[in-house]
Amino acid sequence: MTDNAVLQQGVPLPVWGTTTARENVSVRFAGQTKTARATDDGAWRVELSPLKADGTGATMVVESGEDRQEFRNLLVGEVWYASGQSNMQMTLDACARKLPAIGESVDAGPTDHLRWLRIDEPDSPQPLARRQTATPWQLDHPDNRRKVSAVAYFFARELHKTLDVPIGIIEGSWGGKPIEGFIPRFQFEQQEPLRAILSLAEQDRLGALAALEGGVVVRNTAGMPGRIFNARVAPITPYAVRGFLWYQGESNAGRGEDPRHYRIKMRALVEGWRQAWGQPELPIYFVQLPAFNNEATGWVRLREEQRRSLDIKQTGMAVAIDLRDDDIHPANKLDVGKRLANWALAKTYGKNIPFSGPLFLSANGDGDSMRVQFEHADSGLMVARKEGIAAPKPTPDTPLAHFELADQDGNWYPAQAMIEGAEVVVRNPRVRDPQAVRYACSGAPQNANLYSRTGLPASPFCSDLQLLPWESQK
């Protein structure tokens, strides 16, 4: 806890710390007083009763013996934990340098309803009980805002617009790191495909680990199983949060990296974080990797692994395939943040808004064609083009792009695709009895143009994962 923190509304609020062994501790806040007695090792914890949202700064007083601490200017609202790698960590300032339209957000006046806490601990071989560097919560001011995760900022801003309560973001991303570092160690022991990863890592057999199906390239200790979790997640549990945001995958799908089994790793991450917080229903909303380049074959498979991760309960995926850029860090984080916020507002807060573009549901053979059905297509489908941060513009005279059909030998052919109601009919005269269909399954599909009529993009998909080739980039 530091000054300027945001506390989660509507749930029991843990407050904890250390003091002298067996010392009595009292916590006073918002008209409540809670007491506890420290254990033999000095640890203590109390739980405040649920609070209503409050944008007026208040003070929490913690007393133990002759010691007294005051934490000032605390708000009550909604708190989310955000993590991942460099695309989550990418700051507003960095985005604005590439996309000037975002500069208006950077330079806007200060507010008192958005606040940020950056967790920046080095990795640790053991779970930490508390942060080693007590970085403070930051107020929303242009100078501070420049250094804030752009995804987290735009997510928080959208939530505040609709909910009109204070929003706090705790952000613990780390650029260039694989998912393994963020997964708690105990999950590697519980998930069969992950046990080999843990065993090889602990034996320091990193070459064998990289060669393993679904393995990982460990470039430094932070990539070892659990070491980022130990330093950037464990110390802040059980701080009350509403849910999680996740933007990662690049370091599990690059040169020499094997994206297979990523959906199993996602399950381990989600279940591990929920177990660490002791709340099995906490939602997690994540970003599917955008277009990058056509040599990035691992990204194609990883996007499909991410889409298939949606079978984990209480999850949602922000599709970014249409936010194409010229490098690995697309500047348009405004749409990413908004799309994550759509999921949260609809599924966590019960708002009646569109939250997902079309997601592949099924495909049925129909002679020389395949009919594709989608979830989240009730509003209808459209062909559109996305330019910058503007809303997608319908282009009904433009053909659908990036659809392919596989023949009985598993060979893929470009195909014509037509929207018929809420379905897409895909055909190629050379493929008489198609076996599978896929969409936008290249590293950097240009103008992936299938959208719902609500303006949200369709996710890339392949109807048969066995026919989605992947070759390691050396």
Side-chain angles (χ1 to χ4, degrees):
M1 183 78 69
T2 74
D3 293 348
N4 305 318
V6 181
L7 306 177
Q8 177 61 48
Q9 68 170 329
V11 299
L13 280 176
V15 181
W16 71 100
T18 57
T19 186
T20 306
R22 297 179 297 281
E23 185 69 78
N24 291 322
V25 179
S26 72
V27 177
R28 299 200 310 274
F29 184 71
Q32 299 184 41
T33 299
K34 302 287 183 174
T35 60
R37 185 176 178 84
T39 60
D40 288 345
D41 63 0
W44 61 269
R45 172 174 165 171
V46 303
E47 201 166 79
L48 298 174
S49 300
L51 300 168
K52 293 182 179 180
D54 192 341
T56 303
T59 298
M60 178 183 292
V61 178
V62 179
E63 294 182 301
S64 172
E66 297 182 358
D67 293 332
R68 174 189 171 99
Q69 287 184 289
E70 292 188 356
F71 303 101
R72 299 177 177 84
N73 196 26
L74 307 185
L75 306 183
V76 181
E78 292 294 307
V79 183
W80 289 76
Y81 179 75
S83 194
Q85 53 181 114
S86 55
N87 269 308
M88 177 62 84
Q89 190 173 347
M90 189 176 184
T91 64
L92 269 174
D93 201 33
C95 291
R97 287 196 296 269
K98 293 182 63 181
L99 191 61
I102 289 180
E104 297 177 9
S105 299
V106 176
D107 296 328
T111 75
D112 197 37
H113 50 256
L114 304 179
R115 297 186 178 184
W116 326 97
L117 175 62
R118 166 74 181 163
I119 308 295
D120 207 20
E121 302 284 347
D123 63 281
S124 170
Q126 300 296 329
L128 300 178
R130 61 178 180 271
R131 291 190 288 149
Q132 305 302 293
T133 305
T135 52
W137 280 83
Q138 298 289 321
L139 300 174
D140 182 44
H141 182 278
D143 292 341
N144 297 332
R145 194 184 301 140
R146 293 179 183 278
K147 304 173 185 177
V148 167
S149 158
V151 171
Y153 173 79
F154 289 119
F155 172 86
R157 193 177 73 172
E158 289 301 305
L159 256 58
H160 176 72
K161 283 181 183 178
T162 300
L163 303 177
D164 195 28
V165 300
I167 307 294
I169 302 289
I170 305 172
E171 191 259 311
S173 57
W174 196 337
K177 301 299 180 286
I179 193 173
E180 283 78 1
F182 297 89
I183 300 171
R185 185 186 184 281
F186 62 80
Q187 279 291 322
F188 288 88
E189 298 169 339
Q190 296 176 11
Q191 305 277 355
E192 180 59 40
L194 305 189
R195 288 177 185 155
I197 292 176
L198 180 63
S199 175
L200 291 172
E202 293 192 336
Q203 296 175 61
D204 204 31
R205 296 174 58 192
L206 302 186
L209 176 53
L212 189 70
E213 180 176 325
V216 61
V217 177
V218 176
R219 294 178 171 84
N220 49 54
T221 56
M224 298 288 274
R227 296 207 36 154
I228 299 174
F229 171 87
N230 292 342
R232 299 196 178 188
V233 179
I236 64 169
T237 60
Y239 195 96
V241 299
R242 181 64 73 191
F244 310 122
L245 306 176
W246 178 250
Y247 190 164
Q248 193 275 337
E250 301 90 336
S251 288
N252 288 91
R255 289 182 174 83
E257 293 153 350
D258 189 339
R260 292 174 292 180
H261 303 323
Y262 187 85
R263 64 191 184 280
I264 299 171
K265 299 173 186 180
M266 273 293 294
R267 183 175 294 276
L269 177 94
V270 173
E271 293 181 353
W273 285 14
R274 288 171 175 169
Q275 188 170 339
W277 260 272
Q279 297 189 55
E281 300 296 325
L282 285 176
I284 181 167
Y285 303 121
F286 59 91
V287 182
Q288 188 184 50
L289 289 187
F292 176 33
N293 69 53
N294 280 322
E295 295 179 0
T297 55
W299 285 46
V300 178
R301 176 59 181 261
L302 195 128
R303 288 187 206 115
E304 187 66 356
E305 295 277 327
Q306 290 176 312
R307 184 183 68 82
R308 291 169 183 246
S309 297
L310 289 170
D311 65 359
I312 306 169
K313 64 181 181 180
Q314 298 288 86
T315 60
M317 182 178 73
V319 175
I321 197 66
D322 59 334
L323 308 182
R324 199 170 184 272
D325 205 331
D326 58 0
D327 71 17
I328 199 170
H329 300 118
N332 183 2
K333 297 297 193 286
L334 187 150
D335 278 295
V336 174
K338 284 184 174 181
R339 291 172 184 179
L340 286 170
N342 288 342
W343 275 97
L345 290 169
K347 306 302 286 186
T348 300
Y349 299 107
K351 304 301 181 182
N352 185 23
I353 62 169
F355 59 91
S356 176
L359 295 173
F360 173 77
L361 181 61
S362 59
N364 305 314
D366 186 10
D368 64 350
S369 65
M370 294 198 82
R371 287 186 169 270
V372 185
Q373 294 81 41
F374 300 90
E375 294 182 274
H376 310 298
D378 294 345
S379 66
L381 303 173
M382 70 175 182
V383 184
R385 186 175 184 85
K386 173 79 170 159
E387 296 285 357
I389 63 173
K393 181 179 179 180
T395 56
D397 295 331
T398 303
L400 280 173
H402 306 298
F403 276 90
E404 299 170 90
L405 290 174
D407 64 16
Q408 291 299 308
D409 295 323
N411 300 310
W412 289 98
Y413 298 88
Q416 296 176 333
M418 298 288 292
I419 294 172
E420 291 189 6
E423 296 182 333
V424 172
V425 180
V426 188
R427 58 172 53 89
N428 181 323
R430 296 179 60 187
V431 184
R432 296 181 178 275
D433 187 16
Q435 180 182 354
V437 59
R438 68 185 186 183
Y439 167 67
C441 285
S442 63
Q446 208 165 15
N447 188 29
N449 60 357
L450 178 61
Y451 288 79
S452 67
R453 289 202 170 273
T454 59
L456 292 171
S459 168
F461 69 86
C462 180
S463 65
D464 187 343
L465 193 62
Q466 299 304 313
L467 297 179
L468 189 65
W470 170 80
E471 295 180 3
S472 176
Q473 290 178 266
K474 301 300 183 183

